[in-house]
Amino acid sequence: MTSGNPATAVTVPQPMTIGQLSAETGVPTSTIRFWERKGLLTPDHRRSGQRRYTAAAVRSVVMLRLLQEVGLTLADIRRFREERAVTPRSWHGLVAEKLTDVERQIAALEHARDLLSIASTCRHDDLLACPGFQEWFAGYLSTFPARDRP
């Protein structure tokens, strides 16, 4: 759609349907509807009963997707929005909490990778009899307080 003199015509972006928003972002329409039900996304308006979104909705959807990809739950995202509205710098606390959680998950995944690497090359019938496993397990066991060891 254009307006005014053709020489100075300005293109006004048309509102998108939910299908168009989905195509633009790669996020399924079911997810977009779910986020709406959870109050995390709102259509700009409705036309003939259909949701319509402005171009700004693309950024909102992609941001929601990114926040979930880095490990924030929908409750975390809601908390982030609510706290940010009151105290803009409050996101630092949430980020610090999530960073600690991600570091814990990375450590757990590194343990899993190490154990699976040993197990995948073990030629013993019983993994528990494997010297490589026994060595790995001794190192893992040493990370626990002595009082917890059998």
Side-chain angles (χ1 to χ4, degrees):
M1 171 188 281
T2 60
S3 65
N5 182 332
T8 61
V10 175
T11 302
V12 178
Q14 292 294 310
M16 292 178 277
T17 65
I18 194 169
Q20 291 167 323
L21 180 60
S22 173
E24 279 288 315
T25 61
V27 174
T29 57
S30 59
T31 301
I32 293 170
R33 286 186 191 100
F34 179 75
W35 288 340
E36 286 178 7
R37 285 192 306 273
K38 295 297 182 180
L40 298 171
L41 185 67
T42 306
D44 185 52
H45 65 280
R46 289 183 180 264
R47 182 184 303 156
S48 301
Q50 290 187 327
R51 298 166 172 87
R52 300 294 177 172
Y53 302 87
T54 63
V58 171
R59 286 181 58 90
S60 296
V61 167
V62 171
M63 180 60 73
L64 284 167
R65 185 175 171 184
L66 170 66
L67 293 173
Q68 284 191 308
E69 284 177 5
V70 301
L72 296 179
T73 65
L74 296 181
D76 292 333
I77 294 167
R78 184 173 297 105
R79 177 180 148 206
F80 169 76
R81 285 181 165 186
E82 290 169 356
E83 289 180 7
R84 190 170 160 257
V86 175
T87 310
R89 292 191 53 83
S90 65
W91 60 269
H92 288 273
L94 179 59
V95 168
E97 288 173 23
K98 282 300 164 182
L99 182 58
T100 299
D101 188 45
V102 166
E103 288 170 346
R104 182 194 52 74
Q105 290 175 33
I106 289 170
L109 288 170
E110 286 173 344
H111 283 300
R113 181 193 59 217
D114 294 345
L115 175 57
L116 293 171
S117 293
I118 290 167
S120 70
T121 60
C122 176
R123 301 293 175 234
H124 292 80
D125 289 336
D126 180 3
L127 177 64
L128 299 181
C130 175
F133 171 78
Q134 290 298 326
E135 182 180 331
W136 176 87
F137 188 72
Y140 180 73
L141 186 60
S142 72
T143 65
F144 289 85
R147 69 175 189 278
D148 292 343
R149 289 190 207 148

